[in-house]
Amino acid sequence: MPQRHSKNNNDLAFFTYEEKRKLGYGTQRERLGKDSIKPFDACCLCLKPLIDPLCCPKGHAFCKECILECLLAQKKDIKRKLIVHEAQKKLEKEEEAEKLMLQKSKELDAFDQQNHGAIPQYLDRSGSEDKNGFHGANSVKVTSFEEEALRNMKAFWLPSATPEAPVKVEAPSTDTICPEGQEKLKLKLLFPISFTEEKSDQKNKKSVEKSYMCPSCKSTLTNTMSLVTISTCGHVFCKKCSDKFLVTDKVCLVCNKPCKERNFVPLEKGGTGFAAHDERLEARDFKHLGSGSGLGQMASLQSLICSVSKQLVAPNCTVTKLNAPPPSIVNASSREASSDEKILTRRRLALLGAGALATGLLKSSSALAEEVPKNYKSYVDAKDGYSYLYPADWRDFDFLGHDSAFKDRNLALQCVRVGFIPTAKTDIRDLGPMDEAIFNLVNNIYAAPNQIPTVYDMQERTVDGKNYWTFEYDLEAPGYGVSAFATVAIGNGRYYTLIVTANERRWSRLRNKLKVVADSFKISDLSA
């Protein structure tokens, strides 16, 4: 069966739109169901069942306490804005009076200079004077004026002399508004409403919550029904009974209180979750960096390592800023290795900021490489001090925020990637207990907000005096899941992370194959 080429063209050196979308990048959309929509008997503010309900003229129902607190908060805010506006008006009047006084003093000085000064004052051909009250080179105050201008210079390139735009506060509206309908609302316009509760014999025995009925036709009120309330007495009826009896008789069927047609207020309908009944049933949320974005993981990982606990963090822990300007892209095999810390820091900034990581160009070192199993290849980076195995049919690609990465030629979600960040810790055990540290890592770093993480297995191994933590976890999202192995270790003043992932549906077939990759990760001393 033919498939879309754009969703299956996975042999590129960069992530396509479809791959980014599956990794949680961009706008996430989710269809809302009935549980996400407010029922008819819920408050529009607290979204809980109504307590002492009050209704506005547009049919929005609120708890009495909620709407009174809302209107009181609005009045306090209006009062605060009025005080700020009055203070601004007073300041503007004072500035205007000061300008008039300065203008008069300038006119007096110009008049005095014209009549008693040694040099007469002249006007331009257009009949205008300069803003200081003197004429060009004939002025005896040119030098002092220039000095004053230099002292009051508005230089946008100097932080201390940057001009500030005046913030003008508009006159606030003194009307309180309905928090749901955004129309003008006064306290005296609110009226209480009363639902008729079903009797115990009419109520469903399995139902625990309160249920209401129409007092006329005795039918149970649901979110699918249109409801009408009477503003004079507050009783609630279904729309059919209202059109059939209330409009004709002009009297309430419960309390026999007379009413007029203008007293009939249609209540806001409850949600059913069906598109034919409700609007705006799709929720949207934009994420700049998804769950698979290496840059987002690195930023969160740095904050986690340096702020998990005061007892675990060294006082001299340094973190490389991700938003620092990157110098130049550094190739993994284009320069000789150096132990100078400044060069290493500049290289980290380039790798994290630019995101263009050159991998696979460094040939495997025979001194560091061990016997490679069949159908695997070895990747050794002697300059950064790590090595691991990867499937022979995988190809290298650039993964943002990581030092090296390989992926399957046909399925891009089957990939392995390695990244590291600077740290002041010397061993992975400095992070605390293994189970607690791994749980925080998966929940706070690897999992996106729309994913449910699950950790299955955690192992600790020691190779050449260095400790490694390897664990298996799943990230479940609506209609999609990812399984992965991760190996973390600390050495050479760096926190190393290897993650090898695959689609959840193919995990059972690939688990043993990818476990070899996770267990093969090793740290070596940096080459001099």
Side-chain angles (χ1 to χ4, degrees), residues 38-39 41-53 61-67 69-70 179-180:
K38 186 183 78 66
D41 59 341
C43 174
C44 294
L45 289 175
C46 66
L47 304 179
K48 296 179 181 180
L50 291 167
I51 301 175
D52 298 331
F62 308 92
C63 297
K64 184 177 181 178
E65 183 180 358
C66 295
I67 189 62
E69 287 182 356
C70 179
E180 185 70 15

Side-chain angles (χ1 to χ4, degrees), residues 99-115 121 129 131-134:
K99 287 182 180 179
L100 290 176
M101 291 179 60
L102 289 175
Q103 183 66 25
K104 288 182 180 180
S105 63
K106 286 183 179 180
E107 291 177 358
L108 290 175
D109 291 342
F111 178 79
D112 184 70
Q113 182 71 23
Q114 180 72 24
N115 291 276
Q121 171 71 28
E129 299 180 358
K131 61 183 179 180
N132 199 39
F134 299 97

Side-chain angles (χ1 to χ4, degrees), residues 62 69 103 122 128 156 164 182 199 258 289 293 299 306 352 360-361 379 382 410 412 439 494 497 503 528:
F62 308 92
E69 287 182 356
Q103 183 66 25
Y122 296 98
S128 62
F156 63 88
E164 297 181 357
Q182 300 301 319
K199 298 180 181 179
L289 295 173
S293 173
C306 293
L352 293 175
L361 301 179
Y379 178 83
N410 299 319
F439 179 80
R494 301 171 180 176
T497 301
N503 193 298

